[in-house]
């Protein structure tokens, strides 16, 4: 069975006009945005990929935040694919967030900046993210203790820790899932993406880790998603 990279590379470069690449980009970005409440449909998200001018019509239909952040996430996807071999640093993470939240009105209203760790406390359900003064240290500690060659358990643990820290006011889930894609490609782990309809299993995995410090539930879910990915994209 071919790897994802071998299917999208042509003449030594990633072919972004490859039908499989475009389909994957649409699936990955649509589901990641839908999980966070975007109402842009799968077909409309594809239109943003193939015809960026479609944003004009979507801005009349949906809030600015949803349209711009869907469009931005599409650009983040390309960036991650282009740079998956680069070291994962706090600056790389901040850059993902800066790209994702460019033009988004939400952060301005709360005096937070795209591409900067948050300055205020934030609640995620009943959980409070790390205190702002500790975020930089916690993220760097997470990066330092993460092995260069990762397996699925390592990726799940990194992701759960990242989401618990919640370094940004908004965009943590989407940047975190993009980081997982980068880590899969870099460590040659079978890739996957989180689908909107199974988000409860995904959230359960993170919550289970938070309570038990075990990645079991998250790894089980990611393994299921790997199998779905293989069936659709690799077999």
């Amino acid at each position: 069975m071919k790897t994802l990279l071998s299917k999208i590379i042509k003449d030594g470069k990633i072919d972004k006009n490859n039908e499989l690449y475009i389909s994957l980009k649409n699936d990955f970005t649509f589901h990641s945005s839908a999980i966070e409440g975007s109402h842009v449909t799968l077909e409309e998200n594809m239109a943003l990929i193939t015809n960026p001018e479609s944003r004009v019509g979507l801005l009349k239909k949906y809030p600015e935040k949803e349209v711009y952040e869907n469009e931005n996430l599409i650009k983040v996807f390309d960036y991650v694919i282009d740079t998956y071999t680069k070291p994962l640093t706090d600056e790389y993470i901040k850059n993902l967030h800066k790209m994702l939240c460019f033009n988004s009105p939400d952060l301005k209203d709360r005096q937070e900046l795209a591409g900067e760790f948050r300055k205020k406390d934030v609640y995620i359900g009943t959980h409070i993210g790390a205190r702002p003064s500790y975020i930089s240290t916690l993220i760097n500690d997470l990066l330092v203790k993460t092995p260069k060659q990762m397996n699925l358990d390592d990726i799940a643990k990194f992701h759960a820790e990242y989401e618990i820290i919640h370094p940004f006011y908004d965009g943590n889930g989407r940047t975190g899932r993009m980081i997982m894609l980068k880590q899969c490609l870099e460590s040659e782990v079978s890739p996957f993406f989180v689908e909107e309809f199974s988000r409860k299993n995904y959230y359960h995995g993170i919550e289970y880790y938070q309570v038990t410090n075990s990645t079991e539930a998250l790894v089980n879910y990611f393994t299921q998603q790997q199998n779905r990915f293989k069936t659709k994209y690799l077999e």
Side-chain angles (χ1 to χ4, degrees):
M1 182 170 62
K2 286 189 175 182
T3 65
L4 174 64
L5 288 174
S6 69
K7 284 189 164 229
I8 61 176
I9 289 177
K10 182 180 180 181
D11 299 327
K13 295 182 180 179
I14 292 172
D15 179 11
K16 292 178 182 173
N17 295 316
N18 180 296
E19 188 175 322
L20 183 146
Y21 181 87
I22 293 171
S23 176
L24 172 61
K25 178 160 62 171
N26 190 37
D27 273 342
F28 196 105
T29 57
F30 162 74
H31 283 285
S32 199
S33 294
I35 288 168
E36 305 302 332
S38 172
H39 295 87
V40 175
T41 67
L42 184 67
E43 292 74 18
E44 289 166 338
N45 194 70
M46 177 62 89
L48 283 172
I49 293 172
T50 57
N51 177 27
E53 293 305 312
S54 65
R55 87 171 70 84
V56 177
L58 295 179
L59 284 168
K60 297 176 182 178
K61 187 176 180 181
Y62 301 116
E64 283 185 358
K65 171 181 167 63
E66 295 184 19
V67 177
Y68 285 130
E69 291 187 2
N70 270 63
E71 184 176 44
N72 290 344
L73 190 61
I74 290 164
K75 295 174 183 176
V76 173
F77 182 92
D78 284 334
Y79 176 79
V80 167
I81 296 294
D82 285 338
T83 62
Y84 77 90
T85 59
K86 288 190 175 182
L88 183 62
T89 64
D90 59 345
E91 288 304 314
Y92 186 98
I93 293 170
K94 288 178 179 179
N95 194 41
L96 295 185
H97 187 262
K98 187 175 183 178
M99 293 174 66
L100 172 67
C101 293
F102 178 73
N103 262 345
S104 175
D106 204 35
L107 295 181
K108 296 175 186 176
D109 294 343
R110 297 180 181 271
Q111 298 181 321
E112 297 277 1
L113 297 174
E116 295 294 334
F117 294 146
R118 58 183 164 80
K119 304 294 190 295
K120 299 178 182 178
D121 287 334
V122 65
Y123 281 89
I124 314 98
T126 58
H127 164 68
I128 185 170
R131 299 305 300 268
S133 58
Y134 296 134
I135 290 173
S136 183
T137 298
L138 290 170
I139 288 293
N140 279 288
D141 285 349
L142 178 59
L143 292 168
V144 167
K145 70 184 182 184
T146 298
K148 184 172 179 62
Q149 184 65 32
M150 303 176 77
N151 57 34
L152 188 59
D153 183 72
D154 295 325
I155 291 170
K157 185 170 184 177
F158 184 100
H159 186 69
E161 293 277 1
Y162 179 84
E163 297 304 326
I164 290 167
I165 295 169
H166 226 71
F168 304 105
Y169 166 72
D170 190 24
N172 298 280
R174 284 164 292 177
T175 55
R177 290 186 286 274
M178 282 294 178
I179 290 169
M180 284 200 292
L181 175 61
K182 177 188 187 305
Q183 290 169 333
C184 284
L185 295 175
E186 189 172 23
S187 292
E188 298 182 353
V189 172
S190 182
F192 59 92
F193 56 88
V194 178
E195 293 175 287
E196 189 274 336
F197 65 83
S198 60
R199 67 187 184 279
K200 288 184 179 179
N201 295 335
Y202 166 62
Y203 287 142
H204 168 70
I206 295 173
E207 291 163 2
Y208 187 79
Y209 176 85
Q210 188 175 352
V211 173
T212 67
N213 205 36
S214 168
T215 59
E216 180 181 4
L218 204 51
V219 167
N220 286 344
Y221 173 67
F222 288 164
T223 301
Q224 170 190 315
Q225 293 304 109
Q226 283 180 323
N227 291 332
R228 289 177 60 80
F229 188 97
K230 287 175 186 175
T231 299
K232 183 167 185 178
Y233 288 105
L234 302 180
E235 291 181 352

